[in-house]
Amino acid sequence: MKAAVIGLGVEGKKALNSLLKHNWEVYATDLNVNIDMDNLPISLASVDISPQKDRINFVKENLSIDLGFNNQKEIDLCDAVVLSPSIWGSKIAEHYKDSHKLLCDVITKHKNMFTIGVTGTNGKTTTVTMIKEILEKAGKKVLVGGNAGGGFEGYYDLILEADNGDYDVLLVEVCDMTVGFCSYCFDFDLIALTNMGNDHMNVHGSMEGYKESLKEFFKDKTILINENQEFKEEFKEVAKSSIEYDETEYDLNIFGKFNKLNAGLSETIAKFIDKNVFPIDESIIKDSLENFKPVKGRLEVLKLNDCEIYIGKSDNSDAIKPILDEVDFKAIFIGTPRHNENHRFDILDEVVNANPEAIILFPGLEDTLDQAKYRLNSLNYKGRIEIANNLDEIIAFVAEFSHEKAIFIGGNGQENIIKIQERLRQISDSINSKENKLLFE
């Protein structure tokens, strides 16, 4: 079988790798010549490269890549077409929908599985992982993935893996920007909404636009929504049925009221499944949630000297506000967003409202340190502003504040935040060594 991958963004690259892993032949194309080739199975020493003006072609065994142009004849010869979710709704997407050559139409086993979708602005990955642990402890085989930003292999990997494996439940993390794409590709039995927040407004345009896309996604589905969710009545009107949830009453080992809500949503889903699909003993739900550990890169609390370090991705103002509302931080470290994500600088408004003694900025997704510093000055922040350009400088600032009661490290840049977490965990584990004692005394 041969597939055409059109668009080599994050999802396109993940789809390409998944297809090769599942023994497909792949033709991939992107109109942009300047594609980052990281995470692609290409070594320039082992491929035939045919450069032309503004065009590059790579050929290696069962993989061919064209950059700067599309070979339509090559696409037409393929058995299936893979489109980036970012171009869903375009003319080319409609063309391939009508042709029934999209991968999700060619391979359909995933549409016959009991399928749960979890969408929203914040808390998706944590909620998906909670549900997965409950279902697996109940003895079920769970296929989980979806939104590449959640650290998964991507939506297409779910479709391909479902075709090869024998799974009881399909669990999909649905990015709020891809609800139209996911609505077409998957047949959801349940759709859960964690929350709606101020993120991806460059795509939605406004909260009203975000609401309308969710209403379309929820149409004629069974949905789970927070009992205090904004637009709740409008969502209930379009849904086939709705279930409301609130914070869990179980004692959790993870921080935050927002995680109590994530756990409450997971608990509600598990109890729905117990009543309507297959039995799940309540002791399994309780044990899974009370022993749940933070997902890699998400908020956790580390202890160094006298200080509790709260660290985890919090890449929009609605993600960071509840953390700052619960704890008084002496210093706050913030990773900066991409240049085109001006709405994410709203994080700094919340940080200034928390009024820490110091704000330390570090490159998160991109080096937009100057923009962030300008934002802080425009907000008339009177405290200390510092720049940490790399991991060593970040650790040095952590050492400086390691005798305070609490500091926070978050913002944008999940990969960088994970690196900071790992370094701090190593230091915490070996704090009794002479070298680290000297650093953190």
Side-chain angles (χ1 to χ4, degrees):
M1 297 282 279
K2 185 173 182 179
V5 177
I6 302 176
L8 287 172
V10 175
E11 289 287 350
K13 290 180 184 178
K14 286 184 175 288
L16 184 155
N17 287 317
S18 293
L19 286 160
L20 293 176
K21 181 179 73 175
H22 289 88
N23 300 314
W24 282 61
E25 186 179 351
V26 177
Y27 168 72
T29 178
D30 197 296
L31 295 178
N32 183 7
V33 175
N34 299 312
I35 292 293
D36 184 352
M37 305 303 280
D38 290 348
N39 303 317
L40 289 178
I42 294 175
S43 168
L44 297 185
S46 62
V47 300
D48 293 326
I49 305 173
S50 302
Q52 300 178 31
K53 186 178 181 180
D54 299 325
R55 294 184 174 193
I56 302 174
N57 171 254
F58 299 86
V59 179
K60 176 189 174 183
E61 298 172 356
N62 59 345
L63 171 63
S64 174
I65 300 177
D66 286 335
L67 300 181
F69 68 105
N70 295 331
N71 186 330
Q72 192 60 50
K73 289 183 179 179
E74 189 75 26
I75 296 172
D76 291 341
L77 290 172
C78 290
D79 301 290
V81 173
V82 168
L83 297 177
S84 169
S86 64
I87 62 173
W88 194 253
S90 67
K91 288 184 178 179
I92 190 170
E94 292 302 315
H95 168 75
Y96 286 111
K97 274 173 61 178
D98 293 341
S99 72
H100 303 290
K101 285 191 70 173
L102 292 177
L103 185 69
C104 61
D105 292 323
V106 174
I107 298 177
T108 59
K109 187 176 176 181
H110 65 286
K111 294 187 177 182
N112 299 322
M113 298 168 57
F114 185 82
T115 303
I116 305 168
V118 179
T119 193
T121 303
N122 302 307
K124 297 185 296 296
T125 304
T126 295
T127 303
V128 163
T129 309
M130 286 176 169
I131 298 166
K132 174 179 179 287
E133 291 190 7
I134 293 169
L135 295 176
E136 288 182 339
K137 285 184 179 180
K140 300 302 176 182
K141 191 175 180 183
V142 185
L143 177 56
V144 58
N147 170 32
F152 303 116
E153 289 302 317
Y155 299 115
Y156 290 107
D157 192 69
L158 286 174
I159 295 168
L160 292 163
E161 183 60 31
D163 192 57
N164 290 337
D166 185 20
Y167 295 92
D168 300 301
V169 178
L170 178 59
L171 183 52
V172 188
E173 177 178 325
V174 180
C175 175
D176 58 273
M177 296 185 292
T178 63
V179 293
F181 168 84
C182 289
S183 183
Y184 182 85
C185 288
F186 301 98
D187 187 4
F188 292 103
D189 296 282
L190 293 175
I191 298 177
L193 176 66
T194 56
N195 48 59
M196 294 174 65
N198 177 32
D199 200 8
H200 301 141
M201 288 300 126
N202 52 329
V203 174
H204 299 304
S206 64
M207 289 299 287
E208 184 71 18
Y210 184 14
K211 177 196 73 174
E212 291 302 318
S213 69
L214 285 176
K215 284 174 67 176
E216 188 65 27
F217 188 37
F218 294 160
K219 189 176 294 183
D220 299 324
K221 297 294 183 181
T222 297
I223 63 171
L224 295 97
I225 50 178
N226 188 314
E227 61 181 29
N228 297 314
Q229 177 61 55
E230 188 179 9
F231 310 123
K232 180 177 71 174
E233 295 306 319
E234 290 187 61
F235 293 150
K236 290 169 71 173
E237 285 178 6
V238 299
K240 179 175 72 174
S241 61
S242 63
I243 304 164
E244 296 183 18
Y245 67 91
D246 197 2
E247 295 179 12
T248 186
E249 294 183 359
Y250 295 135
D251 294 324
L252 305 182
N253 282 323
I254 52 177
F255 166 80
K257 292 182 179 179
F258 53 93
N259 274 323
K260 297 281 279 187
L261 277 171
N262 293 334
L265 173 53
S266 304
E267 178 185 352
T268 304
I269 289 174
K271 289 180 176 178
F272 174 90
I273 293 173
D274 173 54
K275 290 181 180 178
N276 298 281
V277 187
F278 49 75
I280 302 177
D281 193 282
E282 187 167 351
S283 64
I284 290 175
I285 303 172
K286 182 176 185 293
D287 179 70
S288 299
L289 294 176
E290 290 191 340
N291 291 287
F292 184 82
K293 295 181 179 179
V295 176
K296 188 176 183 180
R298 272 43 177 192
L299 189 70
E300 67 174 303
V301 183
L302 301 173
K303 188 72 180 285
L304 285 175
N305 292 331
D306 308 313
C307 186
E308 288 188 330
I309 302 173
Y310 293 71
I311 177 169
K313 186 188 79 151
S314 42
D315 56 8
N316 59 79
S317 57
D318 288 294
I320 202 168
K321 186 178 187 304
I323 303 170
L324 303 184
D325 285 346
E326 288 195 50
V327 181
D328 184 21
F329 295 105
K330 194 75 169 181
I332 297 177
F333 296 59
I334 294 295
T336 53
R338 296 183 181 89
H339 285 86
N340 64 340
E341 295 178 328
N342 290 329
H343 61 283
R344 288 190 171 182
F345 285 100
D346 290 353
I347 292 172
L348 296 175
D349 297 43
E350 299 297 338
V351 172
V352 169
N353 286 338
N355 196 30
E357 180 180 290
I359 298 174
I360 295 90
L361 302 171
F362 64 91
L365 291 170
E366 289 181 0
D367 183 347
T368 50
L369 297 169
D370 287 342
Q371 288 175 254
K373 194 170 181 179
Y374 178 83
R375 179 69 166 253
L376 290 175
N377 289 327
S378 70
L379 292 168
N380 295 314
Y381 173 65
K382 303 301 182 183
R384 174 181 162 197
I385 301 174
E386 298 284 359
I387 300 295
N389 292 292
N390 53 54
L391 181 56
D392 289 337
E393 291 181 8
I394 292 170
I395 298 301
F397 280 117
V398 171
E400 178 184 343
F401 290 98
S402 66
H403 289 285
E404 302 295 343
K405 184 177 179 182
I407 63 175
F408 176 74
I409 303 172
N412 289 263
Q414 178 173 289
E415 290 184 8
N416 287 331
I417 290 170
I418 289 173
K419 290 177 183 176
I420 301 167
Q421 278 181 327
E422 291 173 347
R423 176 73 71 85
L424 290 175
R425 195 176 293 110
Q426 290 171 357
I427 295 170
S428 179
D429 291 342
S430 60
I431 196 68
N432 292 323
S433 72
K434 183 177 180 181
E435 179 183 355
N436 286 316
K437 269 193 171 181
L438 289 173
L439 176 62
F440 283 88
E441 283 181 351

mmCIF file of all heavy atoms in Angstrom, residues 168-188:
data_model
loop_
_atom_site.group_PDB
_atom_site.id
_atom_site.type_symbol
_atom_site.label_atom_id
_atom_site.label_comp_id
_atom_site.label_asym_id
_atom_site.label_seq_id
_atom_site.Cartn_x
_atom_site.Cartn_y
_atom_site.Cartn_z
ATOM 1 N N ASP A 168 -9.742 -2.551 22.956
ATOM 2 C CA ASP A 168 -11.106 -2.426 23.474
ATOM 3 C C ASP A 168 -11.627 -0.998 23.378
ATOM 4 O O ASP A 168 -12.822 -0.779 23.159
ATOM 5 C CB ASP A 168 -11.152 -2.867 24.949
ATOM 6 C CG ASP A 168 -10.728 -4.296 25.136
ATOM 7 O OD1 ASP A 168 -11.369 -5.172 24.532
ATOM 8 O OD2 ASP A 168 -9.759 -4.553 25.875
ATOM 9 N N VAL A 169 -10.732 -0.028 23.575
ATOM 10 C CA VAL A 169 -11.139 1.379 23.631
ATOM 11 C C VAL A 169 -10.135 2.224 22.864
ATOM 12 O O VAL A 169 -8.917 2.012 22.956
ATOM 13 C CB VAL A 169 -11.215 1.879 25.092
ATOM 14 C CG1 VAL A 169 -11.587 3.370 25.132
ATOM 15 C CG2 VAL A 169 -12.221 1.069 25.895
ATOM 16 N N LEU A 170 -10.652 3.192 22.116
ATOM 17 C CA LEU A 170 -9.827 4.192 21.440
ATOM 18 C C LEU A 170 -10.001 5.506 22.203
ATOM 19 O O LEU A 170 -11.123 5.996 22.360
ATOM 20 C CB LEU A 170 -10.267 4.347 19.993
ATOM 21 C CG LEU A 170 -9.545 5.393 19.136
ATOM 22 C CD1 LEU A 170 -8.062 5.094 19.060
ATOM 23 C CD2 LEU A 170 -10.153 5.444 17.736
ATOM 24 N N LEU A 171 -8.893 6.073 22.665
ATOM 25 C CA LEU A 171 -8.905 7.278 23.492
ATOM 26 C C LEU A 171 -8.105 8.356 22.770
ATOM 27 O O LEU A 171 -6.894 8.213 22.569
ATOM 28 C CB LEU A 171 -8.307 6.956 24.857
ATOM 29 C CG LEU A 171 -8.256 8.023 25.943
ATOM 30 C CD1 LEU A 171 -9.618 8.655 26.175
ATOM 31 C CD2 LEU A 171 -7.723 7.401 27.237
ATOM 32 N N VAL A 172 -8.786 9.444 22.365
ATOM 33 C CA VAL A 172 -8.182 10.444 21.489
ATOM 34 C C VAL A 172 -8.100 11.800 22.183
ATOM 35 O O VAL A 172 -9.116 12.335 22.633
ATOM 36 C CB VAL A 172 -8.995 10.609 20.187
ATOM 37 C CG1 VAL A 172 -8.243 11.512 19.203
ATOM 38 C CG2 VAL A 172 -9.300 9.258 19.549
ATOM 39 N N GLU A 173 -6.890 12.339 22.281
ATOM 40 C CA GLU A 173 -6.742 13.731 22.710
ATOM 41 C C GLU A 173 -6.944 14.618 21.493
ATOM 42 O O GLU A 173 -6.199 14.522 20.512
ATOM 43 C CB GLU A 173 -5.368 13.987 23.322
ATOM 44 C CG GLU A 173 -5.191 15.455 23.705
ATOM 45 C CD GLU A 173 -3.864 15.761 24.371
ATOM 46 O OE1 GLU A 173 -3.362 14.897 25.126
ATOM 47 O OE2 GLU A 173 -3.338 16.867 24.145
ATOM 48 N N VAL A 174 -7.952 15.487 21.550
ATOM 49 C CA VAL A 174 -8.347 16.305 20.402
ATOM 50 C C VAL A 174 -7.959 17.757 20.647
ATOM 51 O O VAL A 174 -8.531 18.422 21.518
ATOM 52 C CB VAL A 174 -9.867 16.205 20.152
ATOM 53 C CG1 VAL A 174 -10.258 17.065 18.951
ATOM 54 C CG2 VAL A 174 -10.286 14.758 19.928
ATOM 55 N N CYS A 175 -6.982 18.247 19.898
ATOM 56 C CA CYS A 175 -6.611 19.658 19.991
ATOM 57 C C CYS A 175 -7.802 20.521 19.585
ATOM 58 O O CYS A 175 -8.539 20.186 18.649
ATOM 59 C CB CYS A 175 -5.412 19.926 19.079
ATOM 60 S SG CYS A 175 -4.947 21.668 18.979
ATOM 61 N N ASP A 176 -7.978 21.648 20.265
ATOM 62 C CA ASP A 176 -9.137 22.494 19.958
ATOM 63 C C ASP A 176 -9.081 23.082 18.556
ATOM 64 O O ASP A 176 -10.087 23.558 18.031
ATOM 65 C CB ASP A 176 -9.259 23.617 20.997
ATOM 66 C CG ASP A 176 -8.015 24.487 21.084
ATOM 67 O OD1 ASP A 176 -7.087 24.142 21.838
ATOM 68 O OD2 ASP A 176 -7.974 25.510 20.387
ATOM 69 N N MET A 177 -7.898 23.043 17.908
ATOM 70 C CA MET A 177 -7.790 23.547 16.535
ATOM 71 C C MET A 177 -8.126 22.483 15.491
ATOM 72 O O MET A 177 -8.191 22.790 14.298
ATOM 73 C CB MET A 177 -6.364 24.056 16.284
ATOM 74 C CG MET A 177 -5.960 25.236 17.135
ATOM 75 S SD MET A 177 -4.313 25.860 16.679
ATOM 76 C CE MET A 177 -3.260 24.498 17.193
ATOM 77 N N THR A 178 -8.321 21.228 15.923
ATOM 78 C CA THR A 178 -8.509 20.138 14.960
ATOM 79 C C THR A 178 -9.845 19.419 15.146
ATOM 80 O O THR A 178 -9.990 18.271 14.728
ATOM 81 C CB THR A 178 -7.357 19.112 15.068
ATOM 82 O OG1 THR A 178 -7.377 18.514 16.363
ATOM 83 C CG2 THR A 178 -6.011 19.768 14.841
ATOM 84 N N VAL A 179 -10.826 20.085 15.750
ATOM 85 C CA VAL A 179 -12.087 19.393 16.039
ATOM 86 C C VAL A 179 -12.827 19.010 14.755
ATOM 87 O O VAL A 179 -13.477 17.964 14.688
ATOM 88 C CB VAL A 179 -12.985 20.235 16.976
ATOM 89 C CG1 VAL A 179 -12.370 20.354 18.360
ATOM 90 C CG2 VAL A 179 -13.263 21.615 16.391
ATOM 91 N N GLY A 180 -12.741 19.828 13.706
ATOM 92 C CA GLY A 180 -13.399 19.484 12.442
ATOM 93 C C GLY A 180 -12.775 18.258 11.805
ATOM 94 O O GLY A 180 -13.479 17.338 11.365
ATOM 95 N N PHE A 181 -11.471 18.224 11.757
ATOM 96 C CA PHE A 181 -10.736 17.080 11.227
ATOM 97 C C PHE A 181 -11.069 15.809 12.012
ATOM 98 O O PHE A 181 -11.371 14.767 11.421
ATOM 99 C CB PHE A 181 -9.230 17.380 11.312
ATOM 100 C CG PHE A 181 -8.338 16.211 11.067
ATOM 101 C CD1 PHE A 181 -8.000 15.846 9.778
ATOM 102 C CD2 PHE A 181 -7.818 15.476 12.132
ATOM 103 C CE1 PHE A 181 -7.161 14.759 9.546
ATOM 104 C CE2 PHE A 181 -6.985 14.397 11.916
ATOM 105 C CZ PHE A 181 -6.656 14.031 10.618
ATOM 106 N N CYS A 182 -11.044 15.902 13.347
ATOM 107 C CA CYS A 182 -11.301 14.720 14.176
ATOM 108 C C CYS A 182 -12.748 14.256 14.087
ATOM 109 O O CYS A 182 -13.031 13.053 14.144
ATOM 110 C CB CYS A 182 -10.928 15.009 15.631
ATOM 111 S SG CYS A 182 -9.150 15.141 15.899
ATOM 112 N N SER A 183 -13.663 15.194 13.944
ATOM 113 C CA SER A 183 -15.069 14.832 13.814
ATOM 114 C C SER A 183 -15.297 13.967 12.590
ATOM 115 O O SER A 183 -16.120 13.044 12.600
ATOM 116 C CB SER A 183 -15.922 16.102 13.737
ATOM 117 O OG SER A 183 -17.293 15.782 13.675
ATOM 118 N N TYR A 184 -14.552 14.256 11.510
ATOM 119 C CA TYR A 184 -14.678 13.470 10.282
ATOM 120 C C TYR A 184 -13.968 12.119 10.401
ATOM 121 O O TYR A 184 -14.483 11.090 9.954
ATOM 122 C CB TYR A 184 -14.099 14.246 9.097
ATOM 123 C CG TYR A 184 -14.234 13.511 7.784
ATOM 124 C CD1 TYR A 184 -15.403 13.607 7.033
ATOM 125 C CD2 TYR A 184 -13.204 12.707 7.298
ATOM 126 C CE1 TYR A 184 -15.535 12.919 5.834
ATOM 127 C CE2 TYR A 184 -13.332 12.010 6.103
ATOM 128 C CZ TYR A 184 -14.498 12.118 5.376
ATOM 129 O OH TYR A 184 -14.629 11.432 4.187
ATOM 130 N N CYS A 185 -12.796 12.116 11.010
ATOM 131 C CA CYS A 185 -11.946 10.915 11.008
ATOM 132 C C CYS A 185 -12.356 9.869 12.039
ATOM 133 O O CYS A 185 -12.080 8.681 11.842
ATOM 134 C CB CYS A 185 -10.496 11.307 11.246
ATOM 135 S SG CYS A 185 -9.717 12.137 9.843
ATOM 136 N N PHE A 186 -12.980 10.288 13.137
ATOM 137 C CA PHE A 186 -13.304 9.358 14.222
ATOM 138 C C PHE A 186 -14.802 9.371 14.509
ATOM 139 O O PHE A 186 -15.476 10.379 14.322
ATOM 140 C CB PHE A 186 -12.530 9.732 15.493
ATOM 141 C CG PHE A 186 -11.037 9.717 15.315
ATOM 142 C CD1 PHE A 186 -10.340 10.894 15.071
ATOM 143 C CD2 PHE A 186 -10.331 8.525 15.375
ATOM 144 C CE1 PHE A 186 -8.956 10.885 14.899
ATOM 145 C CE2 PHE A 186 -8.950 8.504 15.205
ATOM 146 C CZ PHE A 186 -8.263 9.680 14.964
ATOM 147 N N ASP A 187 -15.298 8.244 14.996
ATOM 148 C CA ASP A 187 -16.702 8.126 15.373
ATOM 149 C C ASP A 187 -16.769 8.097 16.902
ATOM 150 O O ASP A 187 -16.642 7.048 17.530
ATOM 151 C CB ASP A 187 -17.293 6.847 14.786
ATOM 152 C CG ASP A 187 -18.796 6.751 15.012
ATOM 153 O OD1 ASP A 187 -19.369 7.719 15.552
ATOM 154 O OD2 ASP A 187 -19.382 5.718 14.664
ATOM 155 N N PHE A 188 -16.971 9.265 17.500
ATOM 156 C CA PHE A 188 -16.884 9.394 18.955
ATOM 157 C C PHE A 188 -18.169 8.927 19.631
ATOM 158 O O PHE A 188 -19.272 9.355 19.274
ATOM 159 C CB PHE A 188 -16.601 10.846 19.351
ATOM 160 C CG PHE A 188 -15.226 11.318 18.962
ATOM 161 C CD1 PHE A 188 -15.051 12.152 17.857
ATOM 162 C CD2 PHE A 188 -14.113 10.930 19.678
ATOM 163 C CE1 PHE A 188 -13.795 12.593 17.491
ATOM 164 C CE2 PHE A 188 -12.847 11.357 19.320
ATOM 165 C CZ PHE A 188 -12.689 12.195 18.222
#
